[in-house]
Amino acid sequence: MDKSKVKQQMLAVMEDHKIGSLSTVKENRPHSRYMTFYNKDFTLYTPTDIDTYKAKEVEENPHVHVLLGYTGEGYDDAFIEFQGTATIRDDQETKNEFWHDTLTHYFDSATDPSYILLELKPKTIRLMNKGDHTPYEISFD
């Protein structure tokens, strides 16, 4: 598969699947949890509270890993393995862009000071289970 088709397939997974596993580093060990992800040009955003372990872990070590897309239907379930770095975003423009009413379960509004987003920039993304020759890997340097 050529690079542009691989990127299209990766974007399809990122657009079609919003729930995935985010792994951070805690005391030199992986620490995973399910999160909701929003994609913008291969950068993932996930809302969280500033006072969570994941925010503290990202401040201490920005390296992250995300699994996104597998639905358990079988060997042809495309998914991605996303390796990158995370940055805490608390600027109002980003908070407004990704605000959704379902977040009122956790935050008062998009202006709530506890509401932040983790911005995940890719280093590499691997497309898995899509064709006979996977994984396909794209580097973002």
Side-chain angles (χ1 to χ4, degrees), residues 5-20 37-39 42 44 66-71 76-82 125-130:
K5 186 150 179 109
V6 170
K7 283 186 167 186
Q8 287 176 336
Q9 294 292 324
M10 288 175 174
L11 283 172
V13 170
M14 295 168 92
E15 289 300 321
D16 293 344
H17 301 277
K18 300 298 183 206
I19 306 298
F37 296 96
Y38 302 98
N39 173 52
F42 293 101
L44 295 174
V66 174
L67 292 174
L68 193 61
Y70 185 76
T71 60
D76 292 331
D77 283 351
F79 66 96
I80 61 165
E81 295 178 350
F82 177 109
I125 300 176
R126 292 172 44 145
L127 177 65
M128 309 296 290
N129 282 0
K130 192 67 178 174

Side-chain angles (χ1 to χ4, degrees), residues 10-56:
M10 288 175 174
L11 283 172
V13 170
M14 295 168 92
E15 289 300 321
D16 293 344
H17 301 277
K18 300 298 183 206
I19 306 298
S21 172
L22 169 67
S23 296
T24 55
V25 179
K26 179 180 180 181
E27 298 175 2
N28 292 320
R29 299 185 193 283
H31 187 204
S32 299
R33 78 281 287 154
Y34 287 107
M35 299 290 292
T36 302
F37 296 96
Y38 302 98
N39 173 52
K40 183 177 178 183
D41 301 322
F42 293 101
T43 297
L44 295 174
Y45 293 84
T46 185
T48 191
D49 192 302
I50 189 63
D51 293 321
T52 61
Y53 287 117
K54 63 188 131 328
K56 289 175 181 52

Side-chain angles (χ1 to χ4, degrees), residues 83-138:
Q83 292 183 356
T85 55
T87 304
I88 293 174
R89 294 290 302 265
D90 62 356
D91 61 283
Q92 198 58 54
E93 182 179 344
T94 303
K95 290 169 66 166
N96 290 343
E97 181 177 358
F98 294 102
W99 177 258
H100 192 275
D101 287 341
T102 59
L103 293 173
T104 58
H105 180 77
Y106 305 101
F107 307 104
D108 294 332
S109 68
T111 60
D112 188 325
S114 296
Y115 166 55
I116 62 164
L117 289 117
L118 300 180
E119 177 185 69
L120 312 178
K121 295 273 189 185
K123 294 291 184 193
T124 61
I125 300 176
R126 292 172 44 145
L127 177 65
M128 309 296 290
N129 282 0
K130 192 67 178 174
D132 294 333
H133 302 291
T134 60
Y136 297 104
E137 183 172 299
I138 303 286

